[in-house]
Amino acid sequence: MPNEPVDQHRCLSDPAYLADTLREALAPIELDLLLWRLAELLHQRLGFDCVAFGVVEGPGVSFREAHGTRAACALRPSGGWHLPERAGALARALERRETVRCGAARRAAGAEAERGEDSGCAVVPLVHQQSVAAVLVVGEPAGGRLAPEAVRLLEQVAALAAPCVTSAVRLEQAQRRAAYLQIESDLSRLTMASPDRGQLIGMVCRGLVDRLRVTFAALVICDETGRFPVLARYASAAPFAEGVDAESWPARVLAGAGAAALAEQSPWRCDDVREQADVQPMAVGTRSVLALPIGLLGDVMGVLEVEHPAAGYFTDLERARMADLALMLAEALDHAEIFAQQQRRWQHLLLANEMARVASERLDVDEIARRVVRELQDRFRYPTVALWLAEPSQVVLRAVQSQLALDAAVGQRERLGEGCAGWATQQGRVVRVDGVDELGDRRALGPERQSLLCVPIGSAEWPIGALQIESPEPGAFGEDDELLLEALAHALAGVLAGAQALARTQQLREDLTRMIVHDLRNPLQAVQMTLGCLLGGDRPPNDARELLRESGRCIDEMLELVSSLLDVSRFEDGQMRLRLAPAVLNDHLRAVVRRLAPLARAKSVQVTTVLSSQLPAMQLDGELVERMLANVVGNALKFTPEGSPVSIQSELVELPRAEWSWVGGAALISVRDSGEGIPAQYHEKIFEKFGQVESRKAGLTTSTGLGLALCRYVVEAHGGRIWVESTGSEGSTFFIALPLAGPGAASTP
Ligand code: ADP
């Protein structure tokens, strides 16, 4: 009968009876259960008041749960469950391999007790094949001593139990060693596979719970202050203890056992949380807690906390093994960090390479946007990636890829200065949101976003667009992401500008073809008709002269167009060589006015010229300068209504002006007309190739928009500047400033 009292005398005289009594208690192979059953039997059935077992571990002894309150008190004085050194009666018993009796339990344990009862005890070693794997400690009855027969009985029990206890101790030790080896080998295998830090930590915590049967294992990586968790993972075999939850545990670890370990920079343990009320375990059922700082070469990065359901579980040996594991983990984390950095650098390079390919493939803007978004998501696993491009007053979403729900679609617009992309693009500054509270009215691209990073492409002066990434986790984007996006935005600015320029050139080419077809066909048709009339002979000969003159004008017009085209492209290709010679600007002005006099007369336009006699001779390409002047004056006549005035002036400006790019004086020509003027937004554009005032394009059949482009090339080739001033309806004044010192005077414009 398991709980029936046993006859102590019969046990002593009848070995078979004793063996039979012990049989059931000795059945378990698991050490804790075996010791518990033996203690239970000695206490409950053999009538010993207080009983405990100590397991020999390295230089120390570790006590398992004792039976009987007095023994528990006596054997767990301030020395704790685990005695790092053997001393006193304990040491003697182990050394002599025989029972040692002593006056007080705490002296037996060799510890300086502050509490516990002052009764004696017997320390009985469990000897098996000359070695001692455990000791049995039994308290003397209060105020008395154990009878010699009782001690003999204990010795017989110890002798019978020794083989089973020894093999259970060996098995447990082997299992623990194997468990550590297993975790370490898993760790090295995973380290070779170069995982991220979260995976590594998670694996170790899981291993500790599954293989070492700890209740709770957690690793918290903290910031430099050691107070704030940066990355944390845990595994647990039990629910969270009261007051602890999935959100708060990392901070609690850092503030509790972790703080002690970090402060001392060495492992910190609590043998029994029931005896140390200020220690807060994370999991239900925990008795022992161990916290170890994780770091390399004094550089602490976090804390490993392990909790076990048995009191006094973390013996010195266990702590040393755990410290080895912690060191290995620190190395693995360091490796993972280095690997992650290399991986990132590698991905940066690949991305840069991809950008170079995108640039060389001459893709259109939308294709570039799609490629960039795809690359960014594939390589860096951002949950949502988007690219916006600027238009005059807004930004347009040109590509988006997301693993999360989206509220936005390609084509969506944000006003410049509003929202994330609109603001970042306009200001040329980064928008970073780390939590949903900071998001405010800056809308994300979909629901449940907590972090957002939006980096401008281009600058406030030259806005091109913005790159945007989003995540459902708070604080998901750091310095690294910002640097990555900025580098990409920088590369993209050039690529996109190139693509936009290419698109513009293609547009121009199409416009040019259309225009040439249009502008050459009209005069060609006129010439063809004239020739047809002359050949047909149905016109009198005196008309023929007039018809030929008309054809000549058409041919001049076509020649003018073709030579403007050729000249502009020669300037663009850098092929135009100026034929410089000393010349007086006023002479060229007079020649132009003379040449255009018939046009002025035909429109009854009064042309006044006020030319400064102080202008010195200058180095000029006379032919080009004259074509340039003819263009400007010709435009003035063309746009001035019948009967209105045009005035032309030349003057000497001796001091340089801020907007000129040369040192010294200039010859300044102004051509003022009384036409309808030029709106401010066209003041730059009309000097570009094919640049025309939009509303007038259709009206003028022979307007190519090449004249002023050529003028600008000519003026700039001479080191000068051409610009227009016009306030709407009061006509326009074109200014041409040429440096007196000649083309060489100009520094880079
Ligand atoms: P084009 O060679 O076709 O005359 P330009 O390059 O000389 O073209 O001029 C470009 C455009 O600038 C014209 O189509 C016209 O819209 C505008 N423009 C040029 N000069 C004047 C002027 N004096 N007054 C008003 N508009 C002008």
Side-chain angles (χ1 to χ4, degrees), residues 635 638-639 673 678 686 691-693 696 703-705 707-708 734:
N635 278 349
K638 200 154 72 178
F639 289 101
D673 64 49
I678 301 171
I686 53 169
Q692 296 184 13
V693 177
R696 294 172 205 158
S703 177
T704 59
L708 287 177
F734 281 79

Side-chain angles (χ1 to χ4, degrees), residues 32 44 102 172 259 346 442:
D32 273 330
Q44 298 278 353
C102 68
E172 191 193 75
W346 176 236
R442 296 201 164 125

Side-chain angles (χ1 to χ4, degrees), residues 564 631-632 635-640 673 675-678 686-688 690-694 696-697 700 702-711 724 731-732 734:
S564 292
N631 233 310
V632 177
N635 278 349
L637 292 173
K638 200 154 72 178
F639 289 101
T640 295
D673 64 49
E676 56 185 296
I678 301 171
I686 53 169
F687 293 103
E688 288 169 14
F690 313 120
Q692 296 184 13
V693 177
E694 213 53 47
R696 294 172 205 158
K697 247 189 195 172
L700 294 160
T702 53
S703 177
T704 59
L706 278 173
L708 287 177
L710 184 63
C711 290
V724 67
S732 325
F734 281 79

